Amino acid sequence: MKLYLAHFVYGDVVPECFEAVLRELRWTDKKWMGNVEYHRVSEDALISRARSRATALFLASNCDVLFMLDHDVSWATPGALWRTAAKAHAEGACVAGLYAQRAFGCGWSSRVTEEGVAWEPGADQLVAAEHLATGFLAIPRGVLNVVLGFCRTTTDPDLRVRECADQRKGGVLFHDLFRPFTVPSELRPEVYEYLSEDWAFCRRATAAGFKHWLYMQPVLTHHGRYGFALADGVAR
């Protein structure tokens, strides 16, 4: 398995996040003979376009799994990133790590499929999810190929993707797989819910026939003005 690590670096990088990536790359180089292609993403102010462009660069590479990592996510155990990618490769599905939103009591950045499912941080456990956050997300090549094929031909205007030109010199053509859209709200039927770029991609992948999984083994911290651990997502 060869990994394409798209590292989205915007603003300041706290030491914990820098050290997590450095430990992971050292661990990967020792254990897996450096089968990682690293790509820093920081030049695009629109995150949905940045993720779509990074996906196109991955598809043009010879790597097997695209891993999207945000600059404000850290973990302490080396190998967590690689093991998450290996789960995605084995399952043939999108697999992400779970982390809290950057606020106390506001829940997590991903949404599980069934409420009340028992899960334990740090366990070698997959939990079914409806939506995955892209801050720590692995997507196999086969999934992207199928999703792209489906979304290029569907008649649903929200799910359909189009080939877009990269206006930068030397830029690649890309499809807007991470373009946000709105859906009827599950909490308030009279209004709509605005799907972020990662949740919008998950809707497209679901429509193409794929399941999504949260891998509980990585214990992740989401950094802002404070390092938010999983427990901080619970209301206090």
Side-chain angles (χ1 to χ4, degrees):
M1 182 183 74
K2 187 170 183 180
L3 189 65
Y4 188 97
L5 177 55
H7 194 194
F8 294 81
V9 182
Y10 291 86
D12 296 330
V13 179
V14 299
E16 292 88 345
C17 298
F18 170 78
E19 291 167 358
V21 174
L22 185 60
R23 283 194 303 267
E24 191 73 24
L25 292 176
R26 285 177 172 172
W27 183 92
T28 303
D29 186 60
K30 181 178 180 180
K31 297 287 185 178
W32 299 98
M33 299 176 291
N35 282 327
V36 177
E37 185 173 330
Y38 178 88
H39 177 63
R40 178 174 59 86
V41 182
S42 60
E43 70 282 359
D44 195 329
L46 186 60
I47 190 61
S48 58
R49 184 173 56 205
R51 296 200 192 281
S52 296
R53 285 169 44 197
T55 300
L57 291 171
F58 161 71
L59 290 173
S61 74
N62 65 344
C63 297
D64 303 301
V65 177
L66 168 62
F67 201 104
M68 293 192 178
L69 174 67
D70 284 359
H71 76 278
D72 55 1
V73 175
S74 73
W75 62 101
T77 306
L81 188 153
W82 186 270
R83 283 190 285 270
T84 303
K87 286 286 185 182
H89 192 248
E91 295 292 329
C94 298
V95 176
L98 182 64
Y99 53 89
Q101 297 191 48
R102 294 194 300 184
F104 291 109
C106 289
W108 302 284
S109 297
S110 298
R111 180 183 292 175
V112 298
T113 301
E114 298 180 17
E115 295 293 335
V117 174
W119 50 269
E120 180 182 352
D124 185 13
Q125 177 187 11
L126 291 173
V127 177
E130 181 181 357
H131 296 130
L132 300 174
T134 41
F136 196 91
L137 172 66
I139 313 174
R141 175 179 292 273
V143 171
L144 282 171
N145 285 335
V146 173
V147 173
L148 183 56
F150 169 82
C151 291
R152 291 178 67 179
T153 58
T154 181
T155 58
D156 187 309
D158 289 325
L159 301 178
R160 188 176 178 86
V161 299
R162 300 154 186 84
E163 193 170 45
C164 303
D166 191 334
Q167 301 300 325
R168 301 173 309 155
K169 183 178 180 181
V172 298
L173 294 174
F174 63 93
H175 289 84
D176 52 341
L177 281 166
F178 288 85
R179 185 187 74 253
F181 58 90
T182 60
V183 296
S185 174
E186 297 177 0
L187 301 177
R188 298 177 59 190
E190 73 277 11
V191 298
Y192 282 78
E193 181 177 358
Y194 185 95
L195 296 182
S196 56
E197 86 288 346
D198 41 10
W199 286 28
F201 170 78
C202 286
R203 285 293 180 106
R204 293 184 173 100
T206 297
F210 290 99
K211 295 181 178 180
H212 312 303
W213 301 98
L214 284 164
Y215 185 38
M216 306 314 300
Q217 190 274 335
V219 179
L220 305 176
T221 300
H222 197 189
H223 294 268
R225 288 181 293 178
Y226 170 84
F228 293 89
L230 269 183
D232 296 319
V234 181
R236 295 185 173 187

